[in-house]
Amino acid sequence: MGKTVGIGITGGIAAYKMADLVSKLKKDDIDVIVLMTEGACKFINPLTFKTLSGREVGTDLWTESLEWKVQHIGIAEELDLLVIAPATANFLAKMAHGLADDLLSTVVVANTAPVLVVPSMNTNMYNNPIVQDNIKTLKSYGYHLMDPDSGLLACGVTGKGRLPESDDIYQQIITLLFPRKDLAGKKIMVNAGTTCEDIDPVRFICNRGTGKMGFALAREASQRGAEVILVSGPSTLEAPPDVKFYSVWNAQEMCDIMLEYEPVCDVIIGAAAVGDFKIAKVAEQKMKKTDDRSGRLILELVENPDILKELGARKHDNLIMVGFAAETENVLENACKKLTSKNLDFIVANDVTMEGAGFAIDTNIVTFISKTGEVKKLPKMSKDMVAAAILDKVAELL
Ligand code: CTP
C-alpha cells in the first residue's frame, strides 16, 4: 500500500503483543519501522521485530545506523503514521512535556505525521490524575488516543489498562493511514478569519479571528473528499491544497462571494468572525488628529450584512448550514437564538473566555446544539479534532 508506519514500543509487559501487530501490517504490505525504548527491550528482544519487519530496529540514539545518516530525523521523515503502543505512564509524561532523551522520544518530537498513542498500564496508574492530565494534553495537541481495554492485568488486578486487541489497533492504524472519503461528491463552503473595515486609507477595524478553525475545517473537508470553497478574511495561514480559495477584505466582499456560491453548495459552515459593523463613511484621505483638543474621535458605524442570516433566509432544501456562536456569557441561550434566527441545522457554541477556547490558539472547547434540540458537549480538543467532529456531524446529516 506504499505507507510507512513507525511502531514505538515502550516498557510494558504488553510489548510482546506488538509482534502480532507488526506481522499483520507487513502482510498488508505496510512498511514498518520498529523503535524500542530500553524498557521495551527488557520485555522482548529487538531481533523478533527485526525479523518480522525486515528492517533495522531503532533502540539507541547513539548507535550508528546503517539505514539513516541522522537516525531520529531520517526515521521521522519516512513516517506516514507513528504509533506508540504500549505507551507507559512514563512515556506519556515524556511526550506530554516534549522530552527527547532517547531514540523513540526524539523521533516523537521530530515527527510531523499523525500520532496514535495506545496507553497500557495498571488501573491505578492509568486513573492517576497526572497520567490523565498528560493524556488530555496529548489530545489537545491533536494526538489520537485509544482507550485501554478492561480485564485481568498482568499485575493481577482486574480493571482498565490492558492493551487493546491487536486487531483493534490495526483497524485504527488503517483508518488513520487511509482516511475516509465520506464527503466525496459534496460541495462545502467555509468562511474563516476576521473581516476588516476601512476607516481611511491607512486604518481599519478588525477582530481577533485568525482563521485557524475555518482553515482546519476546509483542510479536513478536503481530505475527506469534499470539493471545498474557502472564503477568508486576511490571515497568515496557508490555504490547504486542492481548495478553491478566496481572500477577501471586508464583510460585504465575503457575503457577495458566498451568496454567489450558495445555490451549488451542499454544506455551508460559517466559521468567520464577521465584523458586525463598518464605518458609515470611509475617509478618502488619511484622517488627521483632531485640532479641537477634545482628545476624542467619534466614528459612526453602520451594520454589515449578517452573512449566515442572508444565506439562511434563501436556504435551498438540501443545504446543511452550520454556524458558530462565540459567546462570553449565557452561552447556550445565546447560541440557541442564533441557531433559530440564522436558520441553521446546528451551531457550534463556545465560551471564548474559557482557557483553551476561542481565538488565536490551537484548541477549542465547544458544544453542538442541533435544531432538533440535541445538545452535545465536547471536551477540550485541538481545532483539527473539532473540525473532524463537526464534519462527522455534517456527514451524519447528509
Ligand atoms: N455571522 C455572519 N455575519 C455576521 C456576523 C456573524 O455570518 N455579520 C456568523 C458567524 O460567522 C457565526 C455566527 O454568525 O457563524 C455567529 O456569529 P457571532 O459573532 O457569534 O454572533 P453575531 O450573529 O454577530 O451576534 P452577536 O455579535 O450579537 O453575538
Side-chain angles (χ1 to χ4, degrees):
M1 295 191 202
K3 299 275 185 182
T4 303
V5 177
I7 299 286
I9 306 174
T10 72
I13 177 65
Y16 78 93
K17 293 188 181 173
M18 300 307 289
D20 185 37
L21 181 71
V22 170
S23 156
K24 275 196 175 81
L25 292 168
K26 284 298 293 178
K27 278 189 192 131
D28 269 347
D29 268 350
I30 294 172
D31 192 20
V32 180
I33 302 172
V34 177
L35 304 159
M36 299 174 72
T37 62
E38 200 185 332
C41 297
K42 299 214 188 282
F43 285 101
I44 181 164
N45 197 310
L47 181 62
T48 307
F49 293 107
K50 187 176 176 199
T51 312
L52 290 170
S53 69
R55 293 196 68 168
E56 206 176 285
V57 172
T59 55
D60 181 15
L61 186 58
W62 309 108
T63 308
E64 209 170 309
S65 158
L66 297 174
E67 284 201 48
W68 302 280
K69 209 158 90 196
V70 181
Q71 213 185 170
H72 59 297
I73 304 298
I75 293 170
E77 277 170 358
E78 273 198 48
L79 303 181
D80 296 297
L81 175 72
L82 174 59
V83 181
I84 309 293
T88 58
N90 179 56
F91 204 78
L92 291 174
K94 281 170 67 166
M95 287 173 88
H97 294 89
L99 291 188
D101 62 355
D102 62 8
L103 180 61
L104 180 55
S105 54
T106 47
V107 170
V108 169
V109 177
N111 169 61
T112 55
V115 181
L116 173 65
V117 184
V118 196
S120 173
M121 64 199 76
N122 162 273
T123 310
N124 289 342
M125 291 173 81
Y126 182 71
N127 289 336
N128 187 308
I130 304 175
V131 173
Q132 287 302 315
D133 271 354
N134 288 334
I135 288 175
K136 268 191 217 138
T137 302
L138 293 176
K139 282 186 182 166
S140 76
Y141 290 130
Y143 287 15
H144 303 271
L145 266 290
M146 261 181 103
D147 267 353
D149 281 352
S150 293
L152 179 62
L153 306 179
C155 54
V157 170
T158 301
K160 200 166 182 176
R162 274 168 65 101
L163 190 78
E165 295 304 322
S166 58
D167 277 349
D168 293 337
I169 304 177
Y170 173 83
Q171 263 321 317
Q172 194 65 31
I173 290 174
I174 297 300
T175 307
L176 289 170
L177 273 184
F178 306 98
R180 290 169 290 170
K181 293 289 174 198
D182 57 345
L183 298 172
K186 300 294 174 194
K187 200 168 241 175
I188 300 187
M189 176 158 62
V190 182
N191 66 6
T194 177
T195 55
C196 302
E197 303 299 341
D198 285 340
I199 298 172
D200 69 14
V202 295
R203 305 179 179 95
F204 58 90
I205 353 175
C206 64
N207 60 55
R208 295 183 198 276
T210 59
K212 279 182 193 255
M213 194 62 245
F215 278 59
L217 278 159
R219 187 168 46 248
E220 173 78 12
S222 167
Q223 278 168 1
R224 284 164 71 163
E227 194 183 320
V228 178
I229 302 154
L230 174 62
V231 189
S232 174
S235 169
T236 54
L237 302 174
E238 215 174 292
D242 306 324
V243 158
K244 195 177 192 98
F245 180 60
Y246 289 94
S247 174
V248 297
W249 181 249
N250 60 35
Q252 189 62 57
E253 285 166 26
M254 185 176 268
C255 188
D256 291 345
I257 292 177
M258 295 187 78
L259 289 178
E260 189 188 321
Y261 278 105
E262 183 267 344
V264 296
C265 287
D266 300 292
V267 181
I268 293 177
I269 307 178
V274 185
D276 289 327
F277 292 92
K278 63 181 176 189
I279 306 295
K281 194 170 181 320
V282 179
E284 277 176 22
Q285 304 299 330
K286 184 182 172 204
M287 288 166 69
K288 292 292 171 196
K289 273 198 214 67
T290 47
D291 293 330
D292 63 7
R293 296 181 186 277
S294 68
R296 283 152 55 103
L297 168 69
I298 296 170
L299 293 171
E300 190 189 349
L301 301 177
V302 291
E303 245 182 2
N304 259 331
D306 185 321
I307 303 177
L308 279 192
K309 202 169 188 173
E310 292 208 12
L311 291 165
R314 59 173 74 190
K315 185 177 175 191
H316 63 82
D317 279 351
N318 299 320
L319 177 63
I320 306 278
M321 278 185 56
V322 184
F324 277 76
E327 306 295 344
T328 56
E329 57 180 355
N330 304 329
V331 179
L332 295 190
E333 194 187 321
N334 287 333
C336 283
K337 281 187 197 151
K338 288 175 191 173
L339 175 75
T340 315
S341 70
K342 298 180 196 232
N343 195 16
L344 306 174
D345 292 272
F346 73 98
I347 193 153
V348 182
N350 65 339
D351 180 343
V352 289
T353 61
M354 279 174 81
E355 201 188 318
F359 301 109
I361 54 169
D362 290 322
T363 57
N364 212 348
I365 307 168
V366 302
T367 302
F368 293 172
I369 309 167
S370 303
K371 70 174 177 193
T372 52
E374 189 197 335
V375 175
K376 188 176 169 195
K377 203 166 186 294
L378 275 65
K380 179 163 116 179
M381 287 174 160
S382 68
K383 286 187 176 166
D384 288 346
M385 300 279 278
V386 173
I390 291 171
L391 291 169
D392 285 348
K393 178 85 189 155
V394 163
E396 210 181 279
L397 294 173
L398 282 167

